Amino acid sequence: MWKILRQIARAGIPSEPPPFAAEAGEDAEIMHIRREILDILGQALAIREVDAGSCNGCELEVNALTNPYYNLEGLGIKFVASPRHADMLLVTGPVTRNMETALRRTYEATPEPRLVVAVGDCACDGGIFGESYASCGGVTKVVPVDVMVPGCPPAPLEIMRGILMAVRRRR
């Protein structure tokens, strides 16, 4: 145990460096998006995230939205477990044949006026998986989509822009 403690003392706590100064404009943009989302909503937005068969790259970026840097929870935007409590569906990945019925049922269980945001190239048009015996392709082939956020995977800021765009259309 002493050996491990000495190693920790020597190495310190490794962490990633803070964002570069070149990304300082990004901070201002994030703050602007936050303010606009709060102005439009005036209340909480509940999002149900559906993984329709992705490689989990987009899920990592969606998960980053809840960290202290992007802080969606602080805006009143939260992820919920039930589509019955959701205002928006955030769908990632190409829709696999096994998830087609589940996605359709999730969409139908979401109360009106519901919004659907397709996140990532795979959700937009099938991406590298395309349409095959195992995949229906993009989300639009199964449920109507309001906003598409392209990228493989898209950055958290792009996902925030997509959520804002969907909320603007709702207004």
Side-chain angles (χ1 to χ4, degrees), residues 95-139:
V95 182
T96 61
R97 300 280 179 202
N98 294 334
M99 282 297 293
E100 181 179 7
T101 305
L103 179 60
R104 198 170 278 121
R105 285 182 181 168
T106 303
Y107 177 77
E108 291 166 1
T110 307
E112 290 285 344
R114 57 186 158 231
L115 298 167
V116 179
V117 177
V119 176
D121 288 341
C122 297
C124 292
D125 60 5
I128 61 171
F129 302 103
E131 191 172 342
S132 67
Y133 70 94
S135 172
C136 299
V139 178

Side-chain angles (χ1 to χ4, degrees), residues 4 9-10 14 16 26 54 60-61 63 66 69 74-75 80 90 102 106-107 119 126 132 137-139 159 161 164 168:
I4 293 172
R10 267 195 318 258
E16 67 180 48
E26 196 172 281
S54 74
L60 291 171
E61 300 300 322
N63 191 31
T66 61
Y69 186 73
L75 298 173
V80 294
L90 202 67
T106 303
Y107 177 77
V119 176
S132 67
V139 178
I159 298 171
R161 283 188 188 125
L164 175 61
R168 280 181 186 158

Side-chain angles (χ1 to χ4, degrees), residues 10-86:
R10 267 195 318 258
I13 300 173
S15 64
E16 67 180 48
F20 296 110
E23 296 175 1
E26 196 172 281
D27 287 339
E29 189 170 355
I30 290 170
M31 292 305 295
H32 172 72
I33 290 173
R34 284 182 185 164
R35 267 188 258 108
E36 191 167 347
I37 287 175
L38 281 176
D39 289 343
I40 291 172
L41 288 177
Q43 59 185 8
L45 174 70
I47 300 174
R48 170 72 171 129
E49 199 271 328
V50 179
D51 179 357
S54 74
C55 66
N56 291 333
C58 294
E59 278 74 25
L60 291 171
E61 300 300 322
V62 169
N63 191 31
L65 291 173
T66 61
N67 71 24
Y69 186 73
Y70 295 102
N71 193 20
L72 274 189
E73 292 279 331
L75 298 173
I77 298 174
K78 60 184 177 180
F79 289 93
V80 294
S82 172
R84 298 193 191 286
H85 301 134

